PDB file of all heavy atoms in Angstrom:
ATOM      1  N   SER A1416       5.750   2.178   5.171  1.00  0.00           N
ATOM      2  CA  SER A1416       6.413   3.211   5.950  1.00  0.00           C
ATOM      3  C   SER A1416       7.402   2.589   6.931  1.00  0.00           C
ATOM      4  O   SER A1416       8.426   3.093   7.211  1.00  0.00           O
ATOM      5  CB  SER A1416       5.472   4.157   6.600  1.00  0.00           C
ATOM      6  OG  SER A1416       4.760   3.457   7.604  1.00  0.00           O
ATOM      7  N   LYS A1417       6.974   1.356   7.490  1.00  0.00           N
ATOM      8  CA  LYS A1417       7.991   0.723   8.456  1.00  0.00           C
ATOM      9  C   LYS A1417       9.113  -0.055   7.647  1.00  0.00           C
ATOM     10  O   LYS A1417      10.240  -0.003   8.071  1.00  0.00           O
ATOM     11  CB  LYS A1417       7.202  -0.328   9.216  1.00  0.00           C
ATOM     12  CG  LYS A1417       6.456   0.162  10.292  1.00  0.00           C
ATOM     13  CD  LYS A1417       5.813  -1.002  11.137  1.00  0.00           C
ATOM     14  CE  LYS A1417       4.690  -0.555  12.027  1.00  0.00           C
ATOM     15  NZ  LYS A1417       3.954  -1.755  12.576  1.00  0.00           N
ATOM     16  N   TYR A1418       8.794  -0.787   6.684  1.00  0.00           N
ATOM     17  CA  TYR A1418       9.694  -1.832   6.140  1.00  0.00           C
ATOM     18  C   TYR A1418      10.242  -1.408   4.646  1.00  0.00           C
ATOM     19  O   TYR A1418      10.977  -2.119   4.093  1.00  0.00           O
ATOM     20  CB  TYR A1418       9.127  -3.157   6.112  1.00  0.00           C
ATOM     21  CG  TYR A1418       8.755  -3.630   7.525  1.00  0.00           C
ATOM     22  CD1 TYR A1418       7.382  -3.744   7.847  1.00  0.00           C
ATOM     23  CD2 TYR A1418       9.738  -3.787   8.502  1.00  0.00           C
ATOM     24  CE1 TYR A1418       7.056  -4.213   9.106  1.00  0.00           C
ATOM     25  CE2 TYR A1418       9.296  -4.091   9.719  1.00  0.00           C
ATOM     26  CZ  TYR A1418       7.966  -4.330  10.060  1.00  0.00           C
ATOM     27  OH  TYR A1418       7.595  -4.861  11.259  1.00  0.00           O
ATOM     28  N   GLY A1419       9.654  -0.457   4.052  1.00  0.00           N
ATOM     29  CA  GLY A1419       9.919  -0.141   2.700  1.00  0.00           C
ATOM     30  C   GLY A1419       9.157  -0.869   1.583  1.00  0.00           C
ATOM     31  O   GLY A1419       8.010  -1.200   1.866  1.00  0.00           O
ATOM     32  N   ASP A1420       9.686  -1.090   0.619  1.00  0.00           N
ATOM     33  CA  ASP A1420       9.062  -1.817  -0.598  1.00  0.00           C
ATOM     34  C   ASP A1420       8.602  -3.236  -0.077  1.00  0.00           C
ATOM     35  O   ASP A1420       9.427  -4.145   0.260  1.00  0.00           O
ATOM     36  CB  ASP A1420      10.087  -1.961  -1.748  1.00  0.00           C
ATOM     37  CG  ASP A1420       9.361  -2.486  -2.988  1.00  0.00           C
ATOM     38  OD1 ASP A1420       8.272  -2.690  -3.035  1.00  0.00           O
ATOM     39  OD2 ASP A1420      10.152  -2.625  -3.967  1.00  0.00           O
ATOM     40  N   LEU A1421       7.215  -3.368  -0.235  1.00  0.00           N
ATOM     41  CA  LEU A1421       6.584  -4.538   0.183  1.00  0.00           C
ATOM     42  C   LEU A1421       7.075  -5.720  -0.699  1.00  0.00           C
ATOM     43  O   LEU A1421       7.093  -6.935  -0.205  1.00  0.00           O
ATOM     44  CB  LEU A1421       5.169  -4.515   0.216  1.00  0.00           C
ATOM     45  CG  LEU A1421       4.661  -3.462   1.298  1.00  0.00           C
ATOM     46  CD1 LEU A1421       3.175  -3.339   1.347  1.00  0.00           C
ATOM     47  CD2 LEU A1421       5.173  -3.839   2.737  1.00  0.00           C
ATOM     48  N   LYS A1422       7.265  -5.477  -2.029  1.00  0.00           N
ATOM     49  CA  LYS A1422       7.659  -6.651  -2.834  1.00  0.00           C
ATOM     50  C   LYS A1422       9.008  -7.225  -2.424  1.00  0.00           C
ATOM     51  O   LYS A1422       9.256  -8.369  -2.607  1.00  0.00           O
ATOM     52  CB  LYS A1422       7.607  -6.212  -4.356  1.00  0.00           C
ATOM     53  CG  LYS A1422       6.250  -5.938  -4.753  1.00  0.00           C
ATOM     54  CD  LYS A1422       6.121  -5.421  -6.245  1.00  0.00           C
ATOM     55  CE  LYS A1422       4.875  -5.174  -6.730  1.00  0.00           C
ATOM     56  NZ  LYS A1422       4.723  -4.609  -8.031  1.00  0.00           N
ATOM     57  N   GLU A1423       9.872  -6.363  -2.108  1.00  0.00           N
ATOM     58  CA  GLU A1423      11.236  -6.802  -1.608  1.00  0.00           C
ATOM     59  C   GLU A1423      10.960  -7.680  -0.351  1.00  0.00           C
ATOM     60  O   GLU A1423      11.749  -8.684  -0.130  1.00  0.00           O
ATOM     61  CB  GLU A1423      12.184  -5.739  -1.376  1.00  0.00           C
ATOM     62  CG  GLU A1423      12.737  -5.091  -2.622  1.00  0.00           C
ATOM     63  CD  GLU A1423      13.676  -3.883  -2.259  1.00  0.00           C
ATOM     64  OE1 GLU A1423      14.017  -3.767  -1.128  1.00  0.00           O
ATOM     65  OE2 GLU A1423      13.980  -3.058  -3.160  1.00  0.00           O
ATOM     66  N   ASN A1424      10.178  -7.203   0.443  1.00  0.00           N
ATOM     67  CA  ASN A1424       9.957  -7.855   1.736  1.00  0.00           C
ATOM     68  C   ASN A1424       9.301  -9.355   1.640  1.00  0.00           C
ATOM     69  O   ASN A1424       9.378 -10.078   2.471  1.00  0.00           O
ATOM     70  CB  ASN A1424       9.143  -6.930   2.707  1.00  0.00           C
ATOM     71  CG  ASN A1424      10.082  -5.936   3.306  1.00  0.00           C
ATOM     72  OD1 ASN A1424      11.387  -6.094   3.540  1.00  0.00           O
ATOM     73  ND2 ASN A1424       9.572  -4.768   3.609  1.00  0.00           N
ATOM     74  N   LYS A1425       8.443  -9.385   0.515  1.00  0.00           N
ATOM     75  CA  LYS A1425       7.891 -10.732   0.376  1.00  0.00           C
ATOM     76  C   LYS A1425       8.979 -11.833   0.282  1.00  0.00           C
ATOM     77  O   LYS A1425       8.748 -12.917   0.846  1.00  0.00           O
ATOM     78  CB  LYS A1425       6.954 -10.758  -0.884  1.00  0.00           C
ATOM     79  CG  LYS A1425       5.738 -10.017  -0.726  1.00  0.00           C
ATOM     80  CD  LYS A1425       4.836 -10.070  -1.998  1.00  0.00           C
ATOM     81  CE  LYS A1425       3.600  -9.379  -1.714  1.00  0.00           C
ATOM     82  NZ  LYS A1425       2.807  -9.362  -2.903  1.00  0.00           N
ATOM     83  N   LEU A1426      10.045 -11.541  -0.454  1.00  0.00           N
ATOM     84  CA  LEU A1426      11.235 -12.516  -0.515  1.00  0.00           C
ATOM     85  C   LEU A1426      11.774 -12.699   0.873  1.00  0.00           C
ATOM     86  O   LEU A1426      11.998 -13.924   1.225  1.00  0.00           O
ATOM     87  CB  LEU A1426      12.175 -12.121  -1.501  1.00  0.00           C
ATOM     88  CG  LEU A1426      13.444 -12.982  -1.679  1.00  0.00           C
ATOM     89  CD1 LEU A1426      13.057 -14.317  -2.144  1.00  0.00           C
ATOM     90  CD2 LEU A1426      14.410 -12.253  -2.634  1.00  0.00           C
ATOM     91  N   ARG A1427      12.001 -11.666   1.507  1.00  0.00           N
ATOM     92  CA  ARG A1427      12.556 -11.800   2.871  1.00  0.00           C
ATOM     93  C   ARG A1427      11.720 -12.587   3.778  1.00  0.00           C
ATOM     94  O   ARG A1427      12.085 -13.358   4.510  1.00  0.00           O
ATOM     95  CB  ARG A1427      12.711 -10.331   3.440  1.00  0.00           C
ATOM     96  CG  ARG A1427      13.367 -10.379   4.809  1.00  0.00           C
ATOM     97  CD  ARG A1427      13.377  -8.992   5.319  1.00  0.00           C
ATOM     98  NE  ARG A1427      13.734  -8.799   6.742  1.00  0.00           N
ATOM     99  CZ  ARG A1427      12.940  -9.071   7.631  1.00  0.00           C
ATOM    100  NH1 ARG A1427      11.622  -9.291   7.458  1.00  0.00           N
ATOM    101  NH2 ARG A1427      13.233  -9.020   9.004  1.00  0.00           N
ATOM    102  N   THR A1428      10.383 -12.267   3.794  1.00  0.00           N
ATOM    103  CA  THR A1428       9.341 -12.946   4.604  1.00  0.00           C
ATOM    104  C   THR A1428       9.418 -14.388   4.214  1.00  0.00           C
ATOM    105  O   THR A1428       9.378 -15.312   5.082  1.00  0.00           O
ATOM    106  CB  THR A1428       7.973 -12.399   4.350  1.00  0.00           C
ATOM    107  OG1 THR A1428       8.021 -10.992   4.641  1.00  0.00           O
ATOM    108  CG2 THR A1428       6.954 -13.065   5.162  1.00  0.00           C
ATOM    109  N   ARG A1429       9.368 -14.815   2.866  1.00  0.00           N
ATOM    110  CA  ARG A1429       9.371 -16.211   2.500  1.00  0.00           C
ATOM    111  C   ARG A1429      10.730 -16.944   2.973  1.00  0.00           C
ATOM    112  O   ARG A1429      10.671 -17.960   3.503  1.00  0.00           O
ATOM    113  CB  ARG A1429       9.215 -16.306   1.000  1.00  0.00           C
ATOM    114  CG  ARG A1429       9.324 -17.600   0.428  1.00  0.00           C
ATOM    115  CD  ARG A1429       8.040 -18.389   0.720  1.00  0.00           C
ATOM    116  NE  ARG A1429       8.175 -19.744   0.185  1.00  0.00           N
ATOM    117  CZ  ARG A1429       7.830 -20.835   0.911  1.00  0.00           C
ATOM    118  NH1 ARG A1429       7.257 -20.777   2.155  1.00  0.00           N
ATOM    119  NH2 ARG A1429       7.960 -22.047   0.272  1.00  0.00           N
ATOM    120  N   LEU A1430      11.845 -16.266   2.870  1.00  0.00           N
ATOM    121  CA  LEU A1430      13.038 -16.890   3.338  1.00  0.00           C
ATOM    122  C   LEU A1430      13.065 -17.061   4.879  1.00  0.00           C
ATOM    123  O   LEU A1430      13.490 -18.068   5.326  1.00  0.00           O
ATOM    124  CB  LEU A1430      14.264 -16.034   2.881  1.00  0.00           C
ATOM    125  CG  LEU A1430      14.535 -16.128   1.405  1.00  0.00           C
ATOM    126  CD1 LEU A1430      15.601 -15.154   0.997  1.00  0.00           C
ATOM    127  CD2 LEU A1430      14.921 -17.421   0.832  1.00  0.00           C
ATOM    128  N   LEU A1431      12.460 -16.130   5.539  1.00  0.00           N
ATOM    129  CA  LEU A1431      12.466 -16.192   6.925  1.00  0.00           C
ATOM    130  C   LEU A1431      11.487 -17.287   7.401  1.00  0.00           C
ATOM    131  O   LEU A1431      11.801 -18.014   8.163  1.00  0.00           O
ATOM    132  CB  LEU A1431      11.881 -14.796   7.430  1.00  0.00           C
ATOM    133  CG  LEU A1431      12.116 -14.475   8.959  1.00  0.00           C
ATOM    134  CD1 LEU A1431      13.627 -14.616   9.297  1.00  0.00           C
ATOM    135  CD2 LEU A1431      11.624 -13.204   9.301  1.00  0.00           C
ATOM    136  N   SER A1432      10.351 -17.518   6.685  1.00  0.00           N
ATOM    137  CA  SER A1432       9.493 -18.557   7.067  1.00  0.00           C
ATOM    138  C   SER A1432      10.139 -19.883   6.826  1.00  0.00           C
ATOM    139  O   SER A1432       9.956 -20.845   7.565  1.00  0.00           O
ATOM    140  CB  SER A1432       8.250 -18.462   6.346  1.00  0.00           C
ATOM    141  OG  SER A1432       8.335 -18.765   5.085  1.00  0.00           O
ATOM    142  N   LEU A1433      10.939 -20.050   5.753  1.00  0.00           N
ATOM    143  CA  LEU A1433      11.634 -21.309   5.523  1.00  0.00           C
ATOM    144  C   LEU A1433      12.683 -21.577   6.519  1.00  0.00           C
ATOM    145  O   LEU A1433      12.844 -22.678   7.019  1.00  0.00           O
ATOM    146  CB  LEU A1433      12.401 -21.290   4.148  1.00  0.00           C
ATOM    147  CG  LEU A1433      11.430 -21.326   2.924  1.00  0.00           C
ATOM    148  CD1 LEU A1433      12.281 -21.022   1.640  1.00  0.00           C
ATOM    149  CD2 LEU A1433      10.753 -22.634   2.842  1.00  0.00           C
ATOM    150  N   LEU A1434      13.353 -20.460   7.026  1.00  0.00           N
ATOM    151  CA  LEU A1434      14.214 -20.629   8.122  1.00  0.00           C
ATOM    152  C   LEU A1434      13.715 -21.054   9.374  1.00  0.00           C
ATOM    153  O   LEU A1434      14.191 -21.998   9.996  1.00  0.00           O
ATOM    154  CB  LEU A1434      15.123 -19.341   8.272  1.00  0.00           C
ATOM    155  CG  LEU A1434      16.066 -19.295   9.361  1.00  0.00           C
ATOM    156  CD1 LEU A1434      17.144 -20.223   9.173  1.00  0.00           C
ATOM    157  CD2 LEU A1434      16.547 -17.873   9.565  1.00  0.00           C
ATOM    158  N   LYS A1435      12.565 -20.514   9.650  1.00  0.00           N
ATOM    159  CA  LYS A1435      11.782 -20.877  10.830  1.00  0.00           C
ATOM    160  C   LYS A1435      11.434 -22.319  10.871  1.00  0.00           C
ATOM    161  O   LYS A1435      11.587 -22.929  11.861  1.00  0.00           O
ATOM    162  CB  LYS A1435      10.657 -19.983  11.058  1.00  0.00           C
ATOM    163  CG  LYS A1435      10.939 -18.517  11.540  1.00  0.00           C
ATOM    164  CD  LYS A1435       9.580 -17.667  11.547  1.00  0.00           C
ATOM    165  CE  LYS A1435       9.948 -16.222  11.920  1.00  0.00           C
ATOM    166  NZ  LYS A1435       8.621 -15.526  11.992  1.00  0.00           N
ATOM    167  N   SER A1436      10.869 -22.810   9.655  1.00  0.00           N
ATOM    168  CA  SER A1436      10.382 -24.159   9.644  1.00  0.00           C
ATOM    169  C   SER A1436      11.613 -25.218   9.725  1.00  0.00           C
ATOM    170  O   SER A1436      11.473 -26.076  10.335  1.00  0.00           O
ATOM    171  CB  SER A1436       9.656 -24.417   8.485  1.00  0.00           C
ATOM    172  OG  SER A1436      10.443 -24.238   7.189  1.00  0.00           O
ATOM    173  N   ALA A1437      12.739 -24.720   9.088  1.00  0.00           N
ATOM    174  CA  ALA A1437      13.972 -25.622   9.097  1.00  0.00           C
ATOM    175  C   ALA A1437      14.497 -25.601  10.712  1.00  0.00           C
ATOM    176  O   ALA A1437      14.785 -26.666  11.185  1.00  0.00           O
ATOM    177  CB  ALA A1437      15.031 -25.075   8.328  1.00  0.00           C
ATOM    178  N   LEU A1438      14.402 -24.533  11.312  1.00  0.00           N
ATOM    179  CA  LEU A1438      14.911 -24.506  12.732  1.00  0.00           C
ATOM    180  C   LEU A1438      13.959 -25.343  13.642  1.00  0.00           C
ATOM    181  O   LEU A1438      14.365 -25.908  14.708  1.00  0.00           O
ATOM    182  CB  LEU A1438      14.971 -23.014  13.207  1.00  0.00           C
ATOM    183  CG  LEU A1438      16.121 -22.186  12.730  1.00  0.00           C
ATOM    184  CD1 LEU A1438      16.000 -20.836  12.973  1.00  0.00           C
ATOM    185  CD2 LEU A1438      17.452 -22.795  12.975  1.00  0.00           C
ATOM    186  N   ARG A1439      12.586 -25.156  13.339  1.00  0.00           N
ATOM    187  CA  ARG A1439      11.678 -25.941  14.152  1.00  0.00           C
ATOM    188  C   ARG A1439      11.872 -27.451  13.997  1.00  0.00           C
ATOM    189  O   ARG A1439      11.713 -28.244  15.012  1.00  0.00           O
ATOM    190  CB  ARG A1439      10.299 -25.685  13.698  1.00  0.00           C
ATOM    191  CG  ARG A1439       9.564 -24.734  14.648  1.00  0.00           C
ATOM    192  CD  ARG A1439       8.114 -24.630  14.251  1.00  0.00           C
ATOM    193  NE  ARG A1439       8.050 -24.390  12.772  1.00  0.00           N
ATOM    194  CZ  ARG A1439       7.676 -23.250  12.230  1.00  0.00           C
ATOM    195  NH1 ARG A1439       7.185 -22.393  12.934  1.00  0.00           N
ATOM    196  NH2 ARG A1439       7.529 -23.054  10.926  1.00  0.00           N
ATOM    197  N   ARG A1440      12.275 -27.906  12.801  1.00  0.00           N
ATOM    198  CA  ARG A1440      12.558 -29.290  12.608  1.00  0.00           C
ATOM    199  C   ARG A1440      13.790 -29.871  13.389  1.00  0.00           C
ATOM    200  O   ARG A1440      13.789 -30.936  13.751  1.00  0.00           O
ATOM    201  CB  ARG A1440      12.886 -29.589  11.130  1.00  0.00           C
ATOM    202  CG  ARG A1440      11.644 -29.538  10.264  1.00  0.00           C
ATOM    203  CD  ARG A1440      11.915 -29.968   8.838  1.00  0.00           C
ATOM    204  NE  ARG A1440      10.906 -29.444   7.925  1.00  0.00           N
ATOM    205  CZ  ARG A1440      11.027 -28.795   6.889  1.00  0.00           C
ATOM    206  NH1 ARG A1440      12.275 -28.551   6.490  1.00  0.00           N
ATOM    207  NH2 ARG A1440      10.010 -28.448   6.113  1.00  0.00           N
ATOM    208  N   ILE A1441      14.717 -28.956  13.715  1.00  0.00           N
ATOM    209  CA  ILE A1441      15.860 -29.415  14.438  1.00  0.00           C
ATOM    210  C   ILE A1441      15.710 -29.022  16.012  1.00  0.00           C
ATOM    211  O   ILE A1441      16.727 -29.154  16.701  1.00  0.00           O
ATOM    212  CB  ILE A1441      17.144 -28.947  13.873  1.00  0.00           C
ATOM    213  CG1 ILE A1441      17.293 -27.411  13.799  1.00  0.00           C
ATOM    214  CG2 ILE A1441      17.339 -29.563  12.511  1.00  0.00           C
ATOM    215  CD1 ILE A1441      18.488 -26.881  13.332  1.00  0.00           C
ATOM    216  N   GLY A1442      14.550 -28.593  16.316  1.00  0.00           N
ATOM    217  CA  GLY A1442      14.383 -28.252  17.759  1.00  0.00           C
ATOM    218  C   GLY A1442      14.526 -26.924  18.267  1.00  0.00           C
ATOM    219  O   GLY A1442      14.725 -26.693  19.452  1.00  0.00           O
ATOM    220  N   ILE A1443      14.840 -26.008  17.381  1.00  0.00           N
ATOM    221  CA  ILE A1443      15.143 -24.669  17.744  1.00  0.00           C
ATOM    222  C   ILE A1443      13.909 -23.850  17.601  1.00  0.00           C
ATOM    223  O   ILE A1443      13.263 -23.734  16.418  1.00  0.00           O
ATOM    224  CB  ILE A1443      16.350 -24.046  17.057  1.00  0.00           C
ATOM    225  CG1 ILE A1443      17.633 -24.806  17.246  1.00  0.00           C
ATOM    226  CG2 ILE A1443      16.553 -22.587  17.527  1.00  0.00           C
ATOM    227  CD1 ILE A1443      18.824 -24.391  16.423  1.00  0.00           C
ATOM    228  N   LYS A1444      13.384 -23.059  18.600  1.00  0.00           N
ATOM    229  CA  LYS A1444      12.156 -22.331  18.681  1.00  0.00           C
ATOM    230  C   LYS A1444      12.568 -20.974  18.217  1.00  0.00           C
ATOM    231  O   LYS A1444      13.503 -20.360  18.683  1.00  0.00           O
ATOM    232  CB  LYS A1444      11.556 -22.393  19.976  1.00  0.00           C
ATOM    233  CG  LYS A1444      10.061 -22.344  20.016  1.00  0.00           C
ATOM    234  CD  LYS A1444       9.603 -22.330  21.256  1.00  0.00           C
ATOM    235  CE  LYS A1444       8.071 -22.546  21.429  1.00  0.00           C
ATOM    236  NZ  LYS A1444       7.623 -22.601  22.759  1.00  0.00           N
ATOM    237  N   TRP A1445      11.696 -20.333  17.284  1.00  0.00           N
ATOM    238  CA  TRP A1445      11.984 -18.948  16.863  1.00  0.00           C
ATOM    239  C   TRP A1445      11.128 -17.980  17.751  1.00  0.00           C
ATOM    240  O   TRP A1445       9.822 -18.132  17.878  1.00  0.00           O
ATOM    241  CB  TRP A1445      11.585 -18.797  15.433  1.00  0.00           C
ATOM    242  CG  TRP A1445      11.910 -17.396  14.858  1.00  0.00           C
ATOM    243  CD1 TRP A1445      11.111 -16.313  15.092  1.00  0.00           C
ATOM    244  CD2 TRP A1445      12.925 -17.138  14.093  1.00  0.00           C
ATOM    245  NE1 TRP A1445      11.711 -15.212  14.324  1.00  0.00           N
ATOM    246  CE2 TRP A1445      12.871 -15.699  13.779  1.00  0.00           C
ATOM    247  CE3 TRP A1445      14.043 -17.791  13.546  1.00  0.00           C
ATOM    248  CZ2 TRP A1445      13.694 -15.043  13.014  1.00  0.00           C
ATOM    249  CZ3 TRP A1445      14.947 -17.074  12.756  1.00  0.00           C
ATOM    250  CH2 TRP A1445      14.829 -15.615  12.533  1.00  0.00           C
TER     251      TRP A1445
END
Side-chain angles (χ1 to χ4, degrees):
S1416 67
K1417 280 184 195 174
Y1418 304 113
D1420 188 3
L1421 295 180
K1422 289 181 182 175
E1423 284 180 15
N1424 283 329
K1425 283 182 182 179
L1426 176 62
R1427 180 186 171 276
T1428 304
R1429 179 70 181 133
L1430 290 173
L1431 198 56
S1432 73
L1433 289 172
L1434 175 64
K1435 286 179 185 179
S1436 66
L1438 289 173
R1439 258 188 313 248
R1440 285 188 201 129
I1441 60 172
I1443 299 175
K1444 211 176 188 182
W1445 185 281

